Amino acid sequence: MKRISILLALTLSLSLLSACGGNEPAASTGNPSSDPSANTQQVPDESAEQAAGSAANFLSPEYDYTSDELKLTDLSTGEVTATYVFDTAQTPLLTDKTSQGAIVMLSSQVAADVQDTGGVTVISGDSSAETLYYWLFDQSLNLVNTYELTDETLVNGLWGSVFAAAPDGKTLVYAEGPSLYQYTFETQELTEITPAMSATVYFEAVGYSGSGDYLAFFGSLDGQENTTAYGSIDLSSNAAAVFSAEGFSGSTLRSMLSVNGEYAAVSDTILPASMGGAKQTGSVLFLDLSQQQGKVINVESGDESGIAAVSADGQYIVTCAGGDSPSGTLRAYQVSDGTKVADETYTMDTNCKPYEIWVIGHSAYAALGTDDGYALSQAVDLP
């Protein structure tokens, strides 16, 4: 999942922006204009039949600020498979593909100010906008529905908040500090979620489970410095489990909270070299959402703890270590005892930077961004 949350300004490196909102050449189009009411990349190591059957798994939606288009890229080929043209410029707060395949975008129809200065891209959005728009698409970027959000409480709550779309794309959850809210688009109902928490958590990320029955979260604990809270909330009963990890800050720029089915992983923050760099060893947080269990998984290197994902069966944590270079390393660890079960180096034709890990079936891939477009690493097979 990739989210762009803009309050005053969001700063990204160019390499990450290429991965999370780059302006690749347009491919097939054909979608009607909106109404409010590339480069050759390395194909994963699969047979043609497997690749065709899993093509939808590799689709990634991104908003192009230059052309005011939502583009759907197949990361297994680097090709843009569909494009939706908006009538007016948008400032996306959320662009995502849900676990059930819906493509969603939450935006303001006030053009963002995008400036490239000295290798840094600054995106500024006007948080005073009184109306937000929620767009629901199918996997071909055919518009299914558009919702105009004008409720002042809802709009003010979404600006600057953390939020996530439900698997069917029809519900949105967002957090303001220690408070959680859920909005249902069909009924226009905004309700507060009041879980029975054992401690006050200031939420920094939330995400639905694949079934939509649970919420994964991480954040900070009230009055406790250098401690990260993470856990699971049962949306049917409001039962909650809260766990804590010392010396773990939670990554707020990359994948941070990664949910796969009924399991989740929380990656750590890797400090830049000017602030001491990565730790010698690292750790990743694991959550079993339905059983409401959590644990810390120690990993071999601090460099790999900044990006993590979990397999859909909850048996493996996958990490990635890589910077602005042609190569990187994918590792997999068994959740039950932390044993390393895979350690593979990928090599690409150009400098690339990992920004997300996709675990599909028994294979894991690093999603890579370059100055020229998108790519997937070679697959790493899980046991």
Side-chain angles (χ1 to χ4, degrees):
M1 171 188 302
K2 297 179 289 296
R3 178 175 62 249
I4 300 177
S5 180
I6 303 170
L7 181 57
L8 293 177
L10 174 68
T11 303
L12 300 172
S13 69
L14 281 177
S15 57
L16 184 58
L17 186 65
S18 298
C20 301
N23 301 325
E24 66 277 17
S28 59
T29 59
N31 295 312
S33 59
S34 61
D35 183 348
S37 72
N39 295 309
T40 302
Q41 309 293 354
Q42 190 153 0
V43 179
D45 298 331
E46 301 182 293
S47 68
E49 181 179 351
Q50 288 173 319
S54 62
N57 292 323
F58 299 108
L59 296 178
S60 178
E62 306 294 343
Y63 182 76
D64 189 326
Y65 289 92
T66 303
S67 58
D68 297 324
E69 296 172 333
L70 183 64
K71 295 180 177 180
L72 195 61
T73 301
D74 182 346
L75 292 188
S76 66
T77 63
E79 296 180 357
V80 178
T81 63
T83 303
Y84 189 91
V85 183
F86 291 91
D87 286 339
T88 60
Q90 310 286 316
T91 295
L93 283 76
L94 169 73
T95 304
D96 193 19
K97 182 184 74 172
T98 73
S99 60
Q100 293 183 8
I103 309 298
V104 298
M105 186 172 115
L106 177 68
S107 64
S108 163
Q109 290 194 344
V110 178
D113 181 20
V114 182
Q115 298 182 8
D116 291 338
T117 306
V120 174
T121 297
V122 178
I123 304 172
S124 301
D126 182 4
S127 60
S128 66
E130 297 180 353
T131 302
L132 295 176
Y133 296 87
Y134 184 78
W135 313 81
L136 179 61
F137 302 89
D138 64 16
Q139 290 190 17
S140 298
L141 282 191
N142 296 309
L143 185 62
V144 175
N145 218 329
T146 308
Y147 301 93
E148 186 175 330
L149 310 180
T150 58
D151 180 85
E152 183 177 0
T153 300
L154 175 63
V155 171
N156 289 341
L158 290 173
W159 274 110
S161 299
V162 297
F163 38 76
D168 61 5
K170 297 180 180 179
T171 304
L172 193 71
V173 64
Y174 72 92
E176 281 189 290
S179 301
L180 281 172
Y181 302 90
Q182 186 168 254
Y183 183 76
T184 303
F185 292 99
E186 291 293 343
T187 62
Q188 301 182 26
E189 183 180 9
L190 177 64
T191 57
E192 185 174 5
I193 301 171
T194 55
M197 308 281 277
S198 60
T200 300
V201 176
Y202 288 83
F203 298 100
E204 296 176 25
V206 293
Y208 283 93
S209 67
S211 64
D213 295 333
Y214 302 91
L215 282 181
F217 67 83
F218 86 79
S220 58
L221 286 172
D222 187 25
Q224 298 187 38
E225 295 183 3
N226 203 34
T227 301
T228 292
Y230 64 109
S232 167
I233 298 172
D234 186 332
L235 292 173
S236 61
S237 66
N238 276 341
V242 182
F243 308 95
S244 62
E246 298 293 330
F248 190 98
S249 52
S251 173
T252 57
L253 184 58
R254 292 184 177 175
S255 307
M256 50 185 184
L257 177 65
S258 175
V259 183
N260 193 358
E262 305 305 288
Y263 304 92
V266 182
S267 51
D268 202 356
T269 295
I270 297 180
L271 297 176
S274 61
M275 298 177 66
K279 303 172 186 175
Q280 186 172 0
T281 59
S283 59
V284 173
L285 307 182
F286 166 81
L287 282 166
D288 182 331
L289 301 176
S290 62
Q291 297 300 313
Q292 298 201 314
Q293 298 175 349
K295 65 187 301 185
V296 177
I297 307 293
N298 294 318
V299 298
E300 187 172 302
S301 167
D303 289 331
E304 65 186 282
S305 58
I307 306 178
V310 61
S311 59
D313 59 10
Q315 293 188 40
Y316 304 101
I317 286 285
V318 182
T319 64
C320 183
D324 289 313
S325 67
S327 63
T329 302
L330 281 165
R331 296 190 179 104
Y333 299 84
Q334 196 162 280
V335 168
S336 60
D337 58 9
T339 301
K340 185 174 66 173
V341 295
D343 189 333
E344 298 287 343
T345 298
Y346 61 82
T347 302
M348 310 300 288
D349 295 331
T350 184
N351 284 348
C352 55
K353 190 171 186 178
Y355 65 92
E356 194 168 11
I357 297 173
W358 291 9
V359 184
I360 301 171
H362 290 281
S363 298
Y365 310 83
L368 307 169
T370 74
D371 289 336
D372 299 320
Y374 303 84
L376 281 179
S377 71
Q378 297 95 338
V380 171
D381 294 329
L382 302 178

